[in-house]
Amino acid sequence: MWLGGEWLVATDGWIRRDKILAEGLLLLAITYLTALLPEKETPVRKALAWIGALALIPSVLFVIVSGTHSDWRQFSPSGISRELGWIAALSLPLALAWVLRRGASWMNLVAALWVVGLGTTSLSSQPNESLLRYVWRE
């Protein structure tokens, strides 16, 4: 949550800043959910699996609606800033998955591809359009 808050403060005014955060949080929820392995059942891993399970559905919904909020006052960030955001959003959960799962972390890489694919299908809207108005228009 702390990193997410820092991201929102640092990217204030960016177009689609919530999309990067949403996909990073979904991948982190999947990483937490898959932290529990049969040969490594510790209380910490069980807690991570529970946190991941509880965060999974809200994170998916966040990814789906992440493209609906835009404002005419927002601007497109420089390429390097946006790329660094994507790299952090995808590589930090994958690095954690590698630490927790080692050889089985390839499944988290497949999940990362799924998360990015889901993000490309998120709802889009016109500037200053609410989610309810988008649903009505569609």
Side-chain angles (χ1 to χ4, degrees):
M1 295 305 294
W2 170 72
L3 283 176
E6 290 291 331
W7 172 256
L8 291 176
V9 169
T11 60
D12 189 35
W14 285 16
I15 292 175
R16 307 279 190 249
R17 71 184 180 148
D18 54 344
K19 180 177 276 309
I20 296 172
L21 178 63
E23 292 183 25
L25 288 176
L26 177 57
L27 190 55
L28 184 63
I30 292 170
T31 299
Y32 281 3
L33 182 63
T34 60
L36 192 60
L37 295 172
E39 66 274 1
K40 295 182 180 179
E41 286 193 29
T42 64
V44 172
R45 287 178 183 261
K46 286 181 182 180
L48 287 176
W50 271 99
I51 292 169
L54 293 173
L56 188 65
I57 292 176
S59 297
V60 168
L61 294 176
F62 185 32
V63 168
I64 291 171
V65 300
S66 64
T68 61
H69 302 293
S70 60
D71 190 354
W72 64 273
R73 295 171 293 191
Q74 292 179 324
F75 63 92
S76 183
S78 68
I80 191 73
S81 300
R82 186 177 53 244
E83 308 308 329
L84 286 175
W86 280 113
I87 289 169
L90 297 175
S91 66
L92 291 176
L94 289 174
L96 179 62
W98 185 81
V99 167
L100 293 172
R101 302 185 60 174
R102 299 287 180 198
S105 62
W106 66 269
M107 290 182 252
N108 291 77
L109 184 59
V110 172
L113 296 174
W114 178 81
V115 166
V116 171
L118 179 65
T120 62
T121 64
S122 66
L123 302 174
S124 60
S125 71
Q126 298 169 357
N128 298 322
E129 182 178 42
S130 69
L131 180 60
L132 182 61
R133 194 171 174 116
Y134 169 81
V135 170
W136 178 257
R137 180 174 51 84
E138 288 298 313

